[in-house]
C-alpha cells in the first residue's frame, strides 16, 4: 500500500485504526485500505455503524452548543479524533470567540491534521496523549498554557470509553480528571451499548472486528455509563440514546436506539 504524503512515517498503515475507521464512517478521506476494510466489516456486523458515528457527532455538537450557551468557555476534548465538520472549537468560538479548546488524541494522524486546522488559532491547540494517562494530560504544558483549572472546564470524552477496558479502571481515570476540575465544570460522555438490542451475535461480531485494530471494543450498559458520572449531577434528560439528548427536532429522536451510543452531560457541583 502506498503511503500518502500526509501519513506520518511512524504509523502502521496496514493495521486498522479506530480513529481512521471513525473518519471513514463520517465520510472523511484520512483513512487507508485496512481501515476501510475493517469499517466495512463492522457495517456488515452492525449495519447502523455509519448512523452511529453521525448521531454521536451530532450529540457532541449539541452538547458543546449547550455548554457554550450556558457560559462555559474552556473545553478539553479527550479522544477528539480526526478533525471533521463541526469541531468543538468551531461551535464554541461561534458562541464566543474567547472560548479556549484543547484537543487530545493518541492517533498521530488525528494530531497532525488537528495542527493543520488550528494553525493561526491562538485559542485552540492539540496534544498527543492517551485518556488512560489522565495525570499526563492534566500536567501537559500546552493544556496548562490554554486552560485555567480554577475556572469551569468542559471535559469531553465522546465515543472513547468503549475502547477502555474495565482492567484500565475507567472510574479511576474519571476520578483523576474530576479532582482537577473547579465547581461548575462539566463532563460529556458517550459509550457504545447494546442495551435492548436483540440481533443475535451482533456484539460478538463487532468485538471480533475491533480485535483487528489498535483498540478492542468494550460494550457497557446504561447503568454502567451512568455510574461513571459519579460526582457529577446529570443534566436533563440524563443518560439516553444520543439522538434523545436535547434533539433539535422531535424527528431526530425517532428510532434512537439504532444510534447504538448512549450519552449524557453532568455538572460538577460545589
Amino acid at each position: 500500500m502506498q503511503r500518502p504524503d500526509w501519513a506520518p512515517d511512524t504509523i502502521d498503515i496496514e493495521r486498522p485504526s479506530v480513529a481512521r475507521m471513525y473518519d471513514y464512517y463520517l465520510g472523511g478521506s484520512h483513512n487507508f485500505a485496512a481501515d476501510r476494510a475493517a469499517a466495512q466489516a463492522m457495517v456488515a456486523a452492525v449495519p447502523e455503524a455509519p448512523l452511529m458515528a453521525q448521531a454521536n457527532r451530532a450529540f457532541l455538537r449539541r452538547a458543546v452548543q449547550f455548554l457554550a450557551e450556558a457560559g462555559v468557555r474552556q473545553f478539553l476534548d479527550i479522544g477528539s479524533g480526526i478533525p471533521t465538520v463541526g469541531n468543538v472549537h468551531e461551535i464554541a468560538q461561534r458562541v464566543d470567540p474567547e472560548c479556549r479548546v484543547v484537543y487530545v488524541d493518541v492517533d498521530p494522524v488525528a494530531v497532525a491534521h488537528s495542527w493543520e486546522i488550528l494553525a493561526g488559532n491562538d485559542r485552540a491547540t492539540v496534544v498527543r496523549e492517551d485518556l488512560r494517562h489522565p495525570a499526563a494530560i492534566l500536567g501537559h504544558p500546552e493544556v496548562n498554557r490554554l486552560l485555567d483549572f480554577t475556572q469551569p472546564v468542559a471535559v469531553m470524552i465522546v465515543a472513547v470509553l468503549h475502547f477502555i477496558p474495565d482492567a484500565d479502571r475507567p472510574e479511576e481515570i474519571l476520578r483523576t480528571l474530576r479532582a482537577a476540575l473547579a465547581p461548575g465544570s462539566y463532563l460529556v460522555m458517550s459509550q457504545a451499548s447494546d442495551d435492548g438490542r436483540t440481533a443475535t451475535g451482533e456484539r460478538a461480531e463487532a468485538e471480533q472486528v475491533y480485535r483487528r485494530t489498535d483498540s478492542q471494543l468494550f460494550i457497557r450498559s446504561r447503568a454502567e455509563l451512568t455510574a461513571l458520572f459519579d460526582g457529577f449531577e446529570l443534566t436533563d434528560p440524563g443518560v439516553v440514546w444520543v439522538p434523545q439528548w436535547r434533539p433539535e427536532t422531535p424527528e431526530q429522536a425517532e428510532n434512537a436506539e439504532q444510534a447504538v451510543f448512549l450519552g449524557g452531560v453532568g455538572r460538577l457541583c460545589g
Side-chain angles (χ1 to χ4, degrees), residues 12 24 30 68 72 81 88 108 113 120 125 156 181 194-195 201 205 213 233-234 236 248 251 255 258 265:
D12 180 1
Y24 175 81
H30 292 99
V72 176
V88 172
H113 284 282
T125 191
M156 323 285 296
L181 299 176
D194 63 354
D195 274 20
E205 289 182 46
T213 75
E233 181 181 343
L234 284 165
D236 288 337
E248 294 169 351
E251 292 76 19
N255 302 314
Q258 292 182 5
V265 176

Side-chain angles (χ1 to χ4, degrees), residues 168-238:
D168 283 341
R169 303 190 66 82
E171 69 281 2
E172 289 189 5
I173 293 171
L174 292 164
R175 193 176 301 128
T176 298
L177 292 168
R178 186 184 70 209
L181 299 176
S185 294
Y186 285 84
L187 176 63
V188 181
M189 293 196 295
S190 67
Q191 153 85 51
S193 177
D194 63 354
D195 274 20
R197 296 181 66 84
T198 59
T200 303
E202 183 182 75
R203 174 172 177 167
E205 289 182 46
E207 290 174 342
Q208 181 63 36
V209 168
Y210 277 89
R211 289 192 188 99
R212 296 160 47 185
T213 75
D214 54 0
S215 299
Q216 294 187 40
L217 189 65
F218 300 91
I219 303 297
R220 292 187 175 90
S221 67
R222 186 188 306 261
E224 288 172 316
L225 179 57
T226 300
L228 291 174
F229 278 98
D230 181 47
F232 293 84
E233 181 181 343
L234 284 165
T235 64
D236 288 337

Side-chain angles (χ1 to χ4, degrees), residues 67 72 74-78 131 138 149 153-158 174 177-178 181 185-189 232 266:
L67 294 172
V72 176
Q74 303 188 105
F75 296 82
L76 179 60
D77 186 359
I78 305 176
L131 173 60
L138 294 168
F149 285 94
V153 175
V155 176
M156 323 285 296
I157 304 177
V158 177
L174 292 164
L177 292 168
R178 186 184 70 209
L181 299 176
S185 294
Y186 285 84
L187 176 63
V188 181
M189 293 196 295
F232 293 84

Side-chain angles (χ1 to χ4, degrees), residues 12-269:
D12 180 1
I13 63 175
E14 301 288 348
R15 187 180 188 190
S17 154
V18 297
R20 299 193 299 269
M21 289 172 65
Y22 195 73
D23 177 66
Y24 175 81
Y25 296 142
L26 291 171
S29 59
H30 292 99
N31 49 74
F32 308 118
D35 306 310
R36 294 188 287 275
Q40 289 159 5
M42 179 63 179
V43 172
V46 183
E48 299 94 336
L51 170 65
M52 169 185 72
Q54 294 158 16
N56 187 73
R57 192 72 188 181
F59 161 70
L60 178 144
R61 290 195 292 265
R62 294 196 306 276
V64 173
Q65 184 79 26
F66 163 75
L67 294 172
E69 290 178 350
V72 176
R73 294 295 177 264
Q74 303 188 105
F75 296 82
L76 179 60
D77 186 359
I78 305 176
S80 50
I82 295 172
T84 186
V85 176
N87 293 302
V88 172
H89 73 280
E90 294 172 330
I91 300 163
Q93 291 177 351
R94 192 158 51 234
V95 175
D96 185 343
E98 298 298 307
C99 286
R100 300 188 297 278
V101 180
V102 176
Y103 295 103
V104 180
D105 206 281
V106 72
D107 185 276
V109 172
V111 173
H113 284 282
S114 295
W115 272 122
E116 288 184 14
I117 283 179
L118 298 174
N121 189 330
D122 61 0
R123 295 188 177 275
T125 191
V126 59
V127 301
R128 188 179 178 193
E129 214 15 288
D130 193 320
L131 173 60
R132 291 170 295 183
H133 307 143
I137 295 172
L138 294 168
H140 196 287
E142 276 293 283
V143 174
N144 287 281
R145 179 184 68 82
L146 213 56
L147 301 182
D148 176 4
F149 285 94
T150 68
Q151 300 298 316
V153 175
V155 176
M156 323 285 296
I157 304 177
V158 177
V160 182
L161 281 174
H162 44 263
F163 300 123
I164 304 296
D166 290 342
D168 283 341
R169 303 190 66 82
E171 69 281 2
E172 289 189 5
I173 293 171
L174 292 164
R175 193 176 301 128
T176 298
L177 292 168
R178 186 184 70 209
L181 299 176
S185 294
Y186 285 84
L187 176 63
V188 181
M189 293 196 295
S190 67
Q191 153 85 51
S193 177
D194 63 354
D195 274 20
R197 296 181 66 84
T198 59
T200 303
E202 183 182 75
R203 174 172 177 167
E205 289 182 46
E207 290 174 342
Q208 181 63 36
V209 168
Y210 277 89
R211 289 192 188 99
R212 296 160 47 185
T213 75
D214 54 0
S215 299
Q216 294 187 40
L217 189 65
F218 300 91
I219 303 297
R220 292 187 175 90
S221 67
R222 186 188 306 261
E224 288 172 316
L225 179 57
T226 300
L228 291 174
F229 278 98
D230 181 47
F232 293 84
E233 181 181 343
L234 284 165
T235 64
D236 288 337
V239 173
V240 295
W241 296 114
V242 289
Q244 296 173 329
W245 196 89
R246 302 179 181 239
E248 294 169 351
T249 66
E251 292 76 19
Q252 290 178 339
E254 293 177 356
N255 302 314
E257 69 282 355
Q258 292 182 5
V260 181
F261 278 92
L262 293 165
V265 176
R267 184 176 187 272
L268 183 62
C269 299

